[in-house]
């Protein structure tokens, strides 16, 4: 098991220790007043961990505290890992970002795009251009999520059993074939819409590499990074944090219906949301990103590939507020663009965010989050298990609390 421990005094890397302590003081109130069960937070600068803390309970009903070995459902924080896998295949010349998805997944040929009408009787038109690998990486493919509840195509997903998961027993290949038969929300490349695109990328990894997604990640990403506690399901019930949703009027309700999925071996390997991990493991992934694609002698990506992936790829350097649909996503929309698997801050002033332009990040449905600030050489992570992640402004608060503690 990877360890996450403090490696430097705050002042050694430019933090004021009293200001850094505000992180724990602030988020402790979330537990003390019943908004969260418990959490882990970790901050590093210049590749040295400067702050690690746990507070509260991983499982309220069992009275089990959050600890170093707590397992968390990271949901959409799986997406950057899958995106890195795709970029690794791209570096090997096995696929191009401009390749049509149908070149590898034939079901995505002859796509239709929603134009009008109801979910039961939609009017559609042919896709004006093929859906490409780049569209999947940037969430501009025209796919969607059933849980958005914002468009007739979202309803089509739900009617087929796709809301916060897939129909029981369905595998990744079948899910992708099914999505390909549902109309797109918009023409490929025309807008940004948060979607199952990264799940399709997971299937792309399988077809191109010839390995199941769990095997490819274990052998090519997680193994080389020594992320030994990260995987799809089959989590240790004595270490897995419980999943909660807020009760109306205050307090928490345990959601075992969704939460218990992490205890089982999944039929559906979700590259968009299926991994369980620890703070220590995910910190190793963040370190690899900050170091330009390498960690402890294992190089996953070249530094120029990672720099390319973490710049804004939206047309005209637009932000999500101007190019995206006003829907749920794991990011603020103002002043934030999107790269190849990561949100990217393009204008911190527009986003009213106390961070650096060029910061890249993502989060998960159960309020987990990470960000990398390459200007200040900071990585920060927050882990808890409250869904949806839009319940509280944890992410901007984390950025503010970390940045205000910098004094060099």
């Amino acid at each position: 098991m990877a360890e996450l421990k403090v490696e430097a005094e705050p002042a050694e890397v430019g933090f004021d220790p009293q200001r850094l302590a505000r992180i724990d003081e602030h988020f402790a109130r979330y537990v003390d007043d019943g908004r969260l069960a418990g959490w882990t937070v970790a901050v590093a600068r210049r590749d040295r961990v400067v702050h690690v803390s746990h507070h509260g309970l991983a499982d309220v009903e069992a009275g089990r505290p959050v600890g170093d070995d707590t397992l968390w459902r990271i949901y959409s924080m799986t997406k950057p890992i899958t995106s890195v896998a795709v970029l690794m295949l791209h570096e090997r010349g096995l696929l191009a970002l401009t390749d049509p998805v149908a070149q590898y997944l034939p079901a995505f040929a002859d796509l239709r795009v929603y134009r009008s009408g109801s979910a039961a009787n939609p009017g559609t038109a042919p896709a004006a251009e093929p859906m490409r690998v780049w569209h999947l990486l940037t969430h501009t493919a025209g796919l969607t999520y059933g849980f958005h509840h914002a468009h007739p195509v979202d309803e089509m997903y739900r009617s087929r059993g796709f809301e916060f998961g897939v129909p029981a027993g369905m595998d990744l290949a079948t899910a992708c074939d099914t999505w390909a038969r549902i109309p797109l929300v918009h023409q490929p490349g025309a807008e940004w819409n948060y979607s199952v695109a990264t799940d399709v990328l997971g299937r792309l990894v399988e077809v191109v590499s010839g390995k199941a997604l769990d095997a490819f990640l274990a052998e090519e990403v997680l193994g080389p990074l020594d992320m030994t506690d990260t995987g799809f399901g089959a989590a240790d019930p004595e270490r897995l944090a419980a999943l909660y949703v807020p009760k109306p009027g205050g307090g928490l309700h345990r959601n075992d219906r969704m939460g218990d999925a992490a205890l089982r071996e999944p039929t559906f390997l979700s590259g968009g949301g299926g991994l369980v991990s620890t703070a220590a493991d995910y910190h190793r992934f963040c370190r690899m990103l900050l170091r330009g694609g390498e960690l402890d002698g294992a190089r996953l990506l070249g530094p120029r590939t990672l720099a390319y992936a973490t710049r804004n790829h939206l047309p005209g350097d637009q932000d999500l507020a101007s190019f995206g649909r006003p829907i749920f996503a794991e990011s603020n929309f103002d002043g934030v663009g999107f790269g190849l698997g990561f949100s990217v801050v393009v204008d911190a002033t527009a986003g009213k965010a106390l961070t650096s332009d060029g910061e890249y990040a993502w989060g998960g449905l159960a309020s987990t989050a990470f960000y990398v600030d390459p200007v200040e050489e900071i990585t920060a992570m927050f882990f808890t298990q409250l869904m949806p992640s839009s319940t509280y402004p944890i992410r901007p608060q984390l950025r503010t609390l970390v940045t205000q503690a910098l004094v060099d």
Side-chain angles (χ1 to χ4, degrees), residues 7-19:
E7 299 165 325
E9 293 297 321
E12 293 180 61
V13 291
F15 281 108
D16 180 316
Q18 291 181 311
R19 283 177 165 266

Side-chain angles (χ1 to χ4, degrees), residues 126-152:
E129 69 163 301
M131 181 190 294
R132 303 183 188 277
V133 176
W134 179 87
H135 293 135
L136 296 174
L137 283 162
T138 57
H139 287 283
T140 60
L143 300 166
T144 193
Y145 271 125
F147 61 71
H148 286 326
H149 292 260
H151 191 279

Side-chain angles (χ1 to χ4, degrees), residues 192 314 318-326 332-337:
W192 187 92
L314 301 184
Q318 295 180 75
D319 65 4
L320 295 175
S322 59
F323 197 70
R325 289 175 175 258
N332 180 38
F333 273 37
D334 292 314
V336 177

Side-chain angles (χ1 to χ4, degrees), residues 128-307:
E129 69 163 301
M131 181 190 294
R132 303 183 188 277
V133 176
W134 179 87
H135 293 135
L136 296 174
L137 283 162
T138 57
H139 287 283
T140 60
L143 300 166
T144 193
Y145 271 125
F147 61 71
H148 286 326
H149 292 260
H151 191 279
V153 175
D154 306 342
E155 186 180 341
M156 295 180 209
Y157 276 57
R158 292 194 301 275
S159 69
R160 290 162 174 79
F162 302 104
E163 187 166 7
F164 288 105
V166 303
M170 182 176 285
D171 63 13
L172 179 56
T174 305
C176 288
D177 288 347
T178 306
W179 294 327
R181 293 193 295 270
I182 302 173
L184 302 178
V185 173
H186 56 73
Q187 291 284 350
E191 298 180 46
W192 187 92
N193 192 67
Y194 193 40
S195 73
V196 298
T198 318
D199 288 309
V200 180
L201 287 174
R203 177 59 182 155
L204 203 65
V205 168
E206 294 189 328
V207 171
V208 173
S209 72
K211 299 178 181 179
L213 181 61
D214 55 352
F216 183 89
L217 292 184
E219 295 167 20
E220 306 275 359
V221 180
L222 305 175
L225 293 180
D226 197 26
M227 296 172 63
T228 55
D229 280 319
T230 303
F232 290 100
D236 181 349
E238 298 303 314
R239 296 175 56 195
L240 182 67
L243 182 64
Y244 297 95
V245 295
K247 283 182 182 177
L252 298 170
H253 174 73
R254 187 183 180 112
N255 186 350
D256 285 337
R257 184 183 64 83
M258 278 189 65
D260 283 357
L263 299 172
R264 301 186 291 270
E265 290 279 0
T267 304
F268 174 73
L269 297 174
S270 174
L275 289 176
V276 171
S277 189
T278 61
D281 268 17
Y282 211 87
H283 173 62
R284 293 189 64 78
F285 182 71
C286 291
R287 286 186 65 203
M288 178 275 295
L289 297 174
L290 183 66
R291 292 165 57 92
E294 176 274 338
L295 180 64
D296 295 342
R299 178 164 291 285
L300 272 61
L301 293 173
R304 288 160 184 81
T305 303
L306 192 56

Side-chain angles (χ1 to χ4, degrees), residues 192 194 320 327-338 342-345 359 361-364 389 395-396 399:
W192 187 92
Y194 193 40
L320 295 175
I327 54 168
F328 168 86
E330 304 294 347
S331 172
N332 180 38
F333 273 37
D334 292 314
V336 177
F338 206 81
F342 307 86
S343 63
V344 182
V345 174
E359 175 232 277
W362 207 239
S389 59
R395 292 162 190 174
R399 286 171 172 85

